[in-house]
């Protein structure tokens, strides 16, 4: 991926933010800062930690085009740059350029599209019922207005919702009621192409936003040659069916169970066939929550949003990071000493701590020493698929 294709959009957003500046030392390159934001969002790091790892890891330096001893933007510089992108509304333009580059590389969306949504947690707010109501009305509580420091710590865009999960059947065979799980945060709505699993359209809302209504808000790509659209039963409605028919699309959306009646066998079989295709979107969410965060989908370890910032667009950056980091199929392995990983890899000079595997195909950097070097995966050792911007210590 040539990040130079993003330069016009990045520089236009930065110029708009710094149009009134006079003199001073030249700023850091916009593409460099954007690469660091991609790494930060992809790995769920704080901005300060991102700066440290760019200085510390040779693989991160190479990705950012830096060398040992080169100056690296600090956390405040990255924060200001991200705020400039949000203020200028540059993320949509960046995503369109990325989608165009993916298509030009031969990954054409020709096999239909799959639509789904996933919840993203945010730090929970401790507000009174009166303040919650004021925030829902789009207003700022009076006692926050004269306290800018406190207002910066309050996320006024996230919302509460309840996610229902089916309870397990008891030992005696009697069914158990659904389990209601409260959730505070945001919701990522994505549309991926069926063949390549690449996000083509994305939308970020608060967690309380209904899934079905978002289908008509830009998630359907009219440029796709295939007309099939897969989605779960939350997207089944007369309005959506009419919208898809008008757009020339064929609905493959799951049908809902009749209220108070058992699911007809023919409908259940049809839904099962659709699920085999629709389930591919879950792999995208697994990448997003397993590789790009702390493993549970939380966007913790990030600075608190500033006053007046668009929190939803901050969460939307992970879409760009996810697509930029699609696996390339390369196989790499880092090994520290015999027995650290399966396969009997030989030791590496200078390595003092073993790497810990968290699951097949993923290697954690916990307790890893930065003197480790890359080696081809041989001798039956763990083999993982790392993306082009993958971080190897």
């Amino acid at each position: 991926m040539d990040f130079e294709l993003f330069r016009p959009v990045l520089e236009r957003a930065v110029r708009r933010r710094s149009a009134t500046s006079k003199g001073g030392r030249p700023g850091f390159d916009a593409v460099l800062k954007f690469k660091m934001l991609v790494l930060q969002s992809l790995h769920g790091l704080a901005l300060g930690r991102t700066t440290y790892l760019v200085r510390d890891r040779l693989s991160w330096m190479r990705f950012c085009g830096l060398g040992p001893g080169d100056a690296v933007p600090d956390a405040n510089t990255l924060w200001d740059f991200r705020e400039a992108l949000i203020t200028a509304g540059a993320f949509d333009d960046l995503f369109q350029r990325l989608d165009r580059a993916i298509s030009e590389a031969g990954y054409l969306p020709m096999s239909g599209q799959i639509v789904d949504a996933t919840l993203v947690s945010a730090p929970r707010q401790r507000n009174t019922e009166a303040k919650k109501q004021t925030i829902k009305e789009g207003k700022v509580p009076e006692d926050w207005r004269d306290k800018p420091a406190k207002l910066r710590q309050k996320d006024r865009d996230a919302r509460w919702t309840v996610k229902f999960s089916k309870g397990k059947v008891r030992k005696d065979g009697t069914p158990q009621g659904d389990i209601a799980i409260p959730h505070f945060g945001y919701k990522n709505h994505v549309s991926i192409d069926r063949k390549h699993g690449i996000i083509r359209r994305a939308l970020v809302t608060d967690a309380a936003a209904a899934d079905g209504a978002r289908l008509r808000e830009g998630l359907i790509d009219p440029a796709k040659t295939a007309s099939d659209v897969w989605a779960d039963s939350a997207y089944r409605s007369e309005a959506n069916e009419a919208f898809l028919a008008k757009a020339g699309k064929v609905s493959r959306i799951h049908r809902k169970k009749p209220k108070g009646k058992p699911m007809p066998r023919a409908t259940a079989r049809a839904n099962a066939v659709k699920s085999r295709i629709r389930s591919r979107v879950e792999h995208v969410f697994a990448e997003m929550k397993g590789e790009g965060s702390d493993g549970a989908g939380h966007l913790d370890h990030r600075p608190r949003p500033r006053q007046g910032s668009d929190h939803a667009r901050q969460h939307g950056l992970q879409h760009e990071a996810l697509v930029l980091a699609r696996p390339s199929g390369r196989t790499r392995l880092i090994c520290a000493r015999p027995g650290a990983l399966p396969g009997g890899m030989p030791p590496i000079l200078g390595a003092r701590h073993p790497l810990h595997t968290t699951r097949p195909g993923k290697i954690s950097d916990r307790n890893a020493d930065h003197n480790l070097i890359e080696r081809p995966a041989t001798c039956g050792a763990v083999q993982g698929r790392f993306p082009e911007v993958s971080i190897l210590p």
Side-chain angles (χ1 to χ4, degrees):
M1 171 64 67
D2 184 6
F3 278 76
E4 288 298 320
L5 66 94
F6 302 112
R7 183 177 294 279
V9 179
L10 298 174
E11 291 184 345
R12 185 164 58 249
V14 173
R15 283 198 303 268
R16 186 180 305 177
R17 180 70 176 265
S18 59
T20 58
S21 62
K22 298 180 180 179
R25 185 174 60 180
F28 287 97
D29 181 61
V31 175
L32 165 63
K33 291 184 286 188
F34 182 63
K35 287 182 177 181
M36 293 181 64
L37 286 183
V38 169
L39 294 175
Q40 179 264 333
S41 182
L42 178 64
H43 294 270
L45 301 171
L47 294 176
R49 180 66 175 171
T50 303
T51 299
Y52 169 77
L53 289 175
V54 170
R55 292 195 185 103
D56 183 68
R57 292 186 174 182
L58 292 176
S59 57
W60 288 44
M61 290 183 193
R62 289 195 299 269
F63 172 69
C64 293
L66 299 173
D70 288 347
V72 178
D74 59 13
N76 290 333
T77 301
L78 294 179
W79 179 277
D80 291 336
F81 179 69
R82 185 172 63 183
E83 290 295 310
L85 296 180
I86 295 172
T87 303
F91 286 109
D92 291 335
D93 292 339
L94 293 171
F95 197 86
Q96 291 175 5
R97 285 176 177 263
L98 174 63
D99 185 66
R100 187 162 58 250
I102 292 174
S103 298
E104 291 174 355
Y107 297 93
L108 300 176
M110 301 176 61
S111 303
Q113 49 197 312
I114 306 173
V115 179
D116 205 353
T118 186
L119 293 169
V120 179
S121 297
R124 297 187 178 186
Q125 308 292 294
R126 311 299 180 186
N127 301 324
T128 63
E129 292 298 329
K131 291 180 179 178
K132 290 179 182 178
Q133 185 60 34
T134 302
I135 293 174
K136 289 181 180 179
E137 296 173 356
K139 302 177 183 179
V140 180
E142 294 184 0
D143 58 338
W144 292 1
R145 297 175 183 174
D146 56 348
K147 298 178 180 178
K150 183 174 183 178
L151 185 58
R152 284 195 294 268
Q153 305 299 320
K154 295 297 183 178
D155 191 340
R156 292 175 286 126
D157 296 316
R159 293 291 184 271
W160 282 97
T161 189
V162 176
K163 183 177 181 180
F164 290 94
S165 178
K166 292 185 178 181
K168 296 181 178 179
V169 179
R170 296 186 177 92
K171 293 183 178 180
D172 58 1
T174 58
Q176 189 175 352
D178 292 346
I179 302 173
I181 305 174
H183 186 94
F184 181 79
Y186 297 88
K187 188 177 289 186
N188 284 336
H189 308 263
V190 301
S191 173
I192 69 170
D193 70 82
R194 172 189 172 186
K195 182 177 181 180
H196 305 293
I198 298 175
I199 297 175
R200 301 290 180 168
R201 295 292 180 93
L203 179 67
V204 180
T205 65
D206 60 76
D211 294 354
R214 309 287 84 76
L215 184 74
R216 307 186 297 274
E217 296 182 1
L219 285 180
I220 301 301
D221 186 359
K224 288 194 174 184
T225 56
S227 59
D228 297 317
V229 176
W230 285 266
D232 59 33
S233 58
Y235 295 86
R236 169 69 67 170
S237 68
E238 294 183 0
N240 285 345
E241 294 299 312
F243 172 79
L244 293 176
K246 185 177 180 180
K249 304 298 181 181
V250 178
S251 173
R252 304 294 184 187
I253 301 176
H254 286 216
R255 294 189 176 274
K256 296 181 179 180
K257 173 182 171 297
K259 190 173 182 179
K261 299 180 181 179
M263 176 75 78
R265 290 187 177 181
T267 303
R269 286 196 296 267
N271 285 347
V273 173
K274 296 173 183 176
S275 293
R276 296 170 190 170
I277 298 175
R278 192 203 64 81
S279 61
R280 297 176 185 177
V281 72
E282 303 300 338
H283 297 279
V284 175
F285 293 145
E287 285 283 334
M288 186 183 300
K289 294 185 176 183
E291 301 287 345
S293 66
D294 62 358
H298 299 280
L299 291 184
D300 300 333
H301 316 299
R302 64 180 176 86
R304 298 283 187 174
R306 284 186 178 177
Q307 179 180 357
S309 61
D310 188 340
H311 311 294
R313 294 311 303 161
Q314 292 184 17
H315 287 264
L317 178 60
Q318 65 187 317
H319 291 302
E320 282 76 2
L322 176 65
V323 183
L324 288 170
R326 296 302 302 170
S328 64
R330 294 183 304 160
T331 302
R332 296 270 191 228
L333 177 71
I334 298 180
C335 189
R337 69 185 184 200
L341 292 175
M345 287 288 289
I348 298 175
L349 296 178
R352 294 188 296 273
H353 302 288
L355 292 175
H356 296 260
T357 54
T358 56
R359 63 173 181 264
K362 180 177 179 181
I363 297 179
S364 171
D365 67 342
R366 181 163 55 93
N367 294 333
D369 189 89
H370 65 274
N371 292 326
L372 298 177
I373 61 176
E374 299 180 15
R375 287 195 175 217
T378 57
C379 305
V382 175
Q383 297 189 15
R385 292 167 55 214
F386 291 88
E388 291 289 350
V389 297
S390 175
I391 309 313
L392 300 177

